[in-house]
Amino acid sequence: MAACALRRGLLSTVSKYNKKHVHRILSVVDSSSGSEAFRPRVKCLACGLSGGFQQKRFMSSRPEGKILETVGMFEAVKQHGKYETGQLFLHSVFGYRGIVLFPWHARLYDRDITPPISESKPDAPGAHGSKEVKGKTHTYYQVLIDTRDCPHISQRSQTEAVTFLANHDDSRALYAIPGLDYVSHEDILPYNSTEQIPIQHELFERFLMFNPAKAPPFTPRDTLKAWQEKNHPWLELSDVHRETTENIRVTVIPFYMGMREAQNSHVYWWRYCIRLENMGAEVVQLRERHWRIFSLSGTLETVRGRGVVGREPVLSKEQPAFQYSSHVSLQAPSGHMWGTFRIERTDGSHFDVRIPPFSLESNKDDKAPPAGYTF
């Protein structure tokens, strides 16, 4: 469960006390079943105070038989620069434990920032009326999610944000790698741990090794470097689009997946990751989606339906965000998408949240299947 304190309380508290205080991250373990029900409690080892912002990260189904175990120590949040491969962190919005694999530099198009006239450019054909700002460089990270936390965030965020086109005759078949995510720099709450395997994921030991002489003490193996180099066409994010309507911020990251031949024509595939985040205090619920998809071939498709990926998530101060991935195909090498989400307030009234327009661009080189995996 996403903890509001992780985003609001911990960021300010860790920043305030990082010079004089060390914060221990504690998790609640159900000793009767052996399963972990993570309840972060940040305790200052210098003064013994718990900070007054203890918030549960995950709720156990069994109230009895729980003990506290140390997960690690918080580190100072980096205001500048980037985190290195092997950095352990808590996700400030979704609360899961993770580790950084490698950083990406993306162009962030933030439509909440009014651009100078000279920097604005026209929207996609038919897109809603505002102008798109010039992209600013922003750091994102490819990360591994601790598999122990995946069941607890499944209602808030999909844990299979990375998908590939499968290498067989069915052009619509997809291959997914679970437990990979894309994380913005400001989403990371760094911590350290004395455990040699602090993150449980099947790729952890294949990609990283423990080296106590390094900081962070987890260094990339050659297999991680080779995997990144061979698969970066499917992994690398280049553009991020963001816009806020009535305190609901929508962030979109599109990825080109490749081209497949189907019925004597070429079909181009993209995936897109979307996060909706409630920046206000009012509880709201996503009810409908309305997409417009423009293809370079000249077609304009309208898609309307209930919810997203079969869900109608509630966004509140306690559970402020929802993140998911979906896919789109065109019979042209490029196009645009934009639209709205219909949001319902607790009194039954509705309003539409804009989805920022984003381009669907294909790479010129045709893509072979991801290296190192058998379909």
Short mmCIF file of all heavy atoms in Angstrom, two decimals, residues 271-297:
data_model
loop_
_atom_site.label_atom_id
_atom_site.label_comp_id
_atom_site.label_asym_id
_atom_site.label_seq_id
_atom_site.Cartn_x
_atom_site.Cartn_y
_atom_site.Cartn_z
N ARG A 271 4.02 0.16 -26.49
CA ARG A 271 3.42 0.08 -25.17
C ARG A 271 3.51 1.47 -24.56
O ARG A 271 4.35 2.28 -24.95
CB ARG A 271 4.10 -0.96 -24.28
CG ARG A 271 5.44 -0.56 -23.72
CD ARG A 271 5.97 -1.64 -22.76
NE ARG A 271 7.22 -1.26 -22.13
CZ ARG A 271 8.42 -1.47 -22.64
NH1 ARG A 271 8.54 -2.07 -23.81
NH2 ARG A 271 9.51 -1.09 -21.99
N TYR A 272 2.63 1.74 -23.62
CA TYR A 272 2.70 3.03 -22.92
C TYR A 272 2.37 2.80 -21.45
O TYR A 272 1.47 2.04 -21.10
CB TYR A 272 1.75 4.06 -23.55
CG TYR A 272 0.32 3.62 -23.71
CD1 TYR A 272 -0.63 3.88 -22.72
CD2 TYR A 272 -0.10 2.96 -24.87
CE1 TYR A 272 -1.94 3.48 -22.87
CE2 TYR A 272 -1.42 2.56 -25.03
CZ TYR A 272 -2.33 2.82 -24.03
OH TYR A 272 -3.64 2.42 -24.18
N CYS A 273 3.17 3.42 -20.60
CA CYS A 273 2.97 3.35 -19.15
C CYS A 273 2.32 4.65 -18.69
O CYS A 273 2.77 5.73 -19.08
CB CYS A 273 4.30 3.16 -18.43
SG CYS A 273 5.16 1.63 -18.86
N ILE A 274 1.29 4.54 -17.89
CA ILE A 274 0.55 5.72 -17.42
C ILE A 274 0.44 5.68 -15.90
O ILE A 274 0.14 4.64 -15.31
CB ILE A 274 -0.86 5.77 -18.04
CG1 ILE A 274 -0.76 6.05 -19.54
CG2 ILE A 274 -1.72 6.83 -17.35
CD1 ILE A 274 -2.08 6.26 -20.22
N ARG A 275 0.68 6.84 -15.30
CA ARG A 275 0.44 7.00 -13.87
C ARG A 275 -0.56 8.13 -13.66
O ARG A 275 -0.40 9.21 -14.22
CB ARG A 275 1.72 7.32 -13.09
CG ARG A 275 1.43 7.45 -11.58
CD ARG A 275 2.57 8.10 -10.82
NE ARG A 275 3.75 7.27 -10.80
CZ ARG A 275 4.85 7.57 -10.10
NH1 ARG A 275 4.90 8.69 -9.39
NH2 ARG A 275 5.90 6.78 -10.14
N LEU A 276 -1.58 7.85 -12.88
CA LEU A 276 -2.50 8.89 -12.41
C LEU A 276 -2.19 9.14 -10.95
O LEU A 276 -2.08 8.20 -10.16
CB LEU A 276 -3.96 8.45 -12.55
CG LEU A 276 -4.49 8.27 -13.97
CD1 LEU A 276 -4.43 6.81 -14.35
CD2 LEU A 276 -5.90 8.80 -14.07
N GLU A 277 -2.08 10.42 -10.57
CA GLU A 277 -1.72 10.75 -9.20
C GLU A 277 -2.59 11.89 -8.69
O GLU A 277 -2.73 12.92 -9.35
CB GLU A 277 -0.24 11.14 -9.12
CG GLU A 277 0.27 11.26 -7.69
CD GLU A 277 1.78 11.31 -7.64
OE1 GLU A 277 2.42 11.29 -8.70
OE2 GLU A 277 2.32 11.36 -6.52
N ASN A 278 -3.19 11.67 -7.54
CA ASN A 278 -4.05 12.67 -6.91
C ASN A 278 -3.17 13.59 -6.06
O ASN A 278 -2.66 13.19 -5.03
CB ASN A 278 -5.10 11.98 -6.04
CG ASN A 278 -6.12 12.95 -5.49
OD1 ASN A 278 -5.99 14.16 -5.63
ND2 ASN A 278 -7.17 12.42 -4.86
N MET A 279 -3.02 14.84 -6.52
CA MET A 279 -2.17 15.80 -5.82
C MET A 279 -2.95 16.60 -4.77
O MET A 279 -2.37 17.42 -4.06
CB MET A 279 -1.53 16.77 -6.83
CG MET A 279 -0.89 16.09 -8.03
SD MET A 279 0.41 14.93 -7.59
CE MET A 279 1.65 16.07 -6.96
N GLY A 280 -4.26 16.38 -4.68
CA GLY A 280 -5.10 17.12 -3.75
C GLY A 280 -5.59 16.26 -2.61
O GLY A 280 -5.14 15.13 -2.41
N ALA A 281 -6.55 16.79 -1.85
CA ALA A 281 -7.08 16.10 -0.67
C ALA A 281 -8.38 15.38 -0.95
O ALA A 281 -8.81 14.53 -0.15
CB ALA A 281 -7.27 17.11 0.46
N GLU A 282 -9.06 15.68 -2.05
CA GLU A 282 -10.37 15.11 -2.34
C GLU A 282 -10.24 13.69 -2.86
O GLU A 282 -9.39 13.38 -3.70
CB GLU A 282 -11.07 15.98 -3.39
CG GLU A 282 -12.51 15.60 -3.65
CD GLU A 282 -13.18 16.54 -4.64
OE1 GLU A 282 -12.46 17.20 -5.41
OE2 GLU A 282 -14.43 16.61 -4.63
N VAL A 283 -11.10 12.78 -2.37
CA VAL A 283 -11.12 11.40 -2.84
C VAL A 283 -11.88 11.34 -4.16
O VAL A 283 -13.00 11.86 -4.27
CB VAL A 283 -11.79 10.47 -1.81
CG1 VAL A 283 -11.85 9.04 -2.32
CG2 VAL A 283 -11.03 10.52 -0.49
N VAL A 284 -11.28 10.71 -5.18
CA VAL A 284 -11.91 10.61 -6.48
C VAL A 284 -11.72 9.18 -7.01
O VAL A 284 -10.91 8.42 -6.50
CB VAL A 284 -11.31 11.62 -7.49
CG1 VAL A 284 -11.55 13.05 -7.03
CG2 VAL A 284 -9.82 11.37 -7.70
N GLN A 285 -12.49 8.85 -8.06
CA GLN A 285 -12.40 7.52 -8.66
C GLN A 285 -12.43 7.64 -10.17
O GLN A 285 -13.25 8.37 -10.73
CB GLN A 285 -13.54 6.63 -8.19
CG GLN A 285 -13.43 5.18 -8.69
CD GLN A 285 -14.43 4.25 -8.03
OE1 GLN A 285 -15.34 4.71 -7.33
NE2 GLN A 285 -14.26 2.96 -8.21
N LEU A 286 -11.55 6.90 -10.84
CA LEU A 286 -11.53 6.87 -12.30
C LEU A 286 -12.67 5.98 -12.79
O LEU A 286 -12.80 4.84 -12.36
CB LEU A 286 -10.19 6.33 -12.80
CG LEU A 286 -9.92 6.41 -14.31
CD1 LEU A 286 -8.41 6.44 -14.57
CD2 LEU A 286 -10.51 5.21 -15.05
N ARG A 287 -13.48 6.53 -13.69
CA ARG A 287 -14.64 5.78 -14.17
C ARG A 287 -14.53 5.38 -15.65
O ARG A 287 -14.92 4.27 -16.02
CB ARG A 287 -15.92 6.60 -13.97
CG ARG A 287 -16.34 6.74 -12.51
CD ARG A 287 -16.60 5.39 -11.88
NE ARG A 287 -17.28 5.51 -10.59
CZ ARG A 287 -17.52 4.50 -9.78
NH1 ARG A 287 -17.12 3.28 -10.11
NH2 ARG A 287 -18.13 4.68 -8.63
N GLU A 288 -14.03 6.28 -16.50
CA GLU A 288 -14.01 6.00 -17.94
C GLU A 288 -12.72 6.52 -18.56
O GLU A 288 -12.05 7.40 -18.00
CB GLU A 288 -15.20 6.67 -18.64
CG GLU A 288 -16.56 6.19 -18.20
CD GLU A 288 -17.68 6.96 -18.90
OE1 GLU A 288 -17.37 7.74 -19.83
OE2 GLU A 288 -18.84 6.78 -18.52
N ARG A 289 -12.40 5.97 -19.72
CA ARG A 289 -11.30 6.46 -20.53
C ARG A 289 -11.82 6.80 -21.92
O ARG A 289 -12.75 6.16 -22.41
CB ARG A 289 -10.18 5.42 -20.63
CG ARG A 289 -10.56 4.20 -21.46
CD ARG A 289 -9.53 3.09 -21.34
NE ARG A 289 -9.82 1.97 -22.23
CZ ARG A 289 -10.68 1.01 -21.98
NH1 ARG A 289 -11.38 1.05 -20.85
NH2 ARG A 289 -10.88 0.02 -22.84
N HIS A 290 -11.22 7.79 -22.54
CA HIS A 290 -11.61 8.21 -23.88
C HIS A 290 -10.34 8.55 -24.65
O HIS A 290 -9.67 9.54 -24.36
CB HIS A 290 -12.54 9.43 -23.82
CG HIS A 290 -13.00 9.89 -25.16
ND1 HIS A 290 -13.51 11.16 -25.38
CD2 HIS A 290 -13.02 9.26 -26.37
CE1 HIS A 290 -13.82 11.27 -26.67
NE2 HIS A 290 -13.54 10.14 -27.28
N TRP A 291 -9.98 7.69 -25.59
CA TRP A 291 -8.75 7.85 -26.36
C TRP A 291 -9.04 8.28 -27.79
O TRP A 291 -10.03 7.87 -28.40
CB TRP A 291 -7.98 6.52 -26.42
CG TRP A 291 -7.21 6.16 -25.19
CD1 TRP A 291 -7.53 5.19 -24.27
CD2 TRP A 291 -5.98 6.73 -24.75
NE1 TRP A 291 -6.58 5.14 -23.28
CE2 TRP A 291 -5.61 6.07 -23.55
CE3 TRP A 291 -5.15 7.75 -25.24
CZ2 TRP A 291 -4.46 6.38 -22.85
CZ3 TRP A 291 -4.00 8.05 -24.54
CH2 TRP A 291 -3.65 7.38 -23.37
N ARG A 292 -8.14 9.10 -28.33
CA ARG A 292 -8.11 9.40 -29.76
C ARG A 292 -6.75 8.98 -30.28
O ARG A 292 -5.71 9.38 -29.73
CB ARG A 292 -8.32 10.89 -30.03
CG ARG A 292 -9.56 11.48 -29.38
CD ARG A 292 -10.85 10.90 -29.94
NE ARG A 292 -11.06 11.22 -31.33
CZ ARG A 292 -11.60 12.36 -31.77
NH1 ARG A 292 -11.94 13.31 -30.90
NH2 ARG A 292 -11.78 12.57 -33.05
N ILE A 293 -6.73 8.15 -31.32
CA ILE A 293 -5.50 7.59 -31.86
C ILE A 293 -5.40 7.97 -33.33
O ILE A 293 -6.22 7.54 -34.15
CB ILE A 293 -5.46 6.06 -31.70
CG1 ILE A 293 -5.71 5.67 -30.23
CG2 ILE A 293 -4.13 5.50 -32.19
CD1 ILE A 293 -5.96 4.19 -30.03
N PHE A 294 -4.42 8.78 -33.66
CA PHE A 294 -4.22 9.27 -35.02
C PHE A 294 -3.03 8.55 -35.65
O PHE A 294 -1.96 8.49 -35.05
CB PHE A 294 -3.97 10.78 -35.03
CG PHE A 294 -3.67 11.33 -36.40
CD1 PHE A 294 -4.68 11.57 -37.31
CD2 PHE A 294 -2.35 11.61 -36.76
CE1 PHE A 294 -4.40 12.08 -38.58
CE2 PHE A 294 -2.05 12.12 -38.02
CZ PHE A 294 -3.08 12.35 -38.92
N SER A 295 -3.24 7.99 -36.84
CA SER A 295 -2.18 7.27 -37.54
C SER A 295 -1.68 8.09 -38.71
O SER A 295 -2.43 8.86 -39.33
CB SER A 295 -2.71 5.92 -38.05
OG SER A 295 -1.77 5.30 -38.90
N LEU A 296 -0.39 7.94 -39.01
CA LEU A 296 0.19 8.64 -40.15
C LEU A 296 -0.49 8.27 -41.45
O LEU A 296 -0.47 9.02 -42.42
CB LEU A 296 1.69 8.33 -40.23
CG LEU A 296 2.50 9.08 -41.29
CD1 LEU A 296 2.51 10.57 -41.00
CD2 LEU A 296 3.93 8.54 -41.36
N SER A 297 -1.15 7.12 -41.47
CA SER A 297 -1.89 6.70 -42.66
C SER A 297 -3.13 7.54 -42.88
O SER A 297 -3.78 7.43 -43.93
CB SER A 297 -2.28 5.22 -42.54
OG SER A 297 -3.15 5.02 -41.43
#
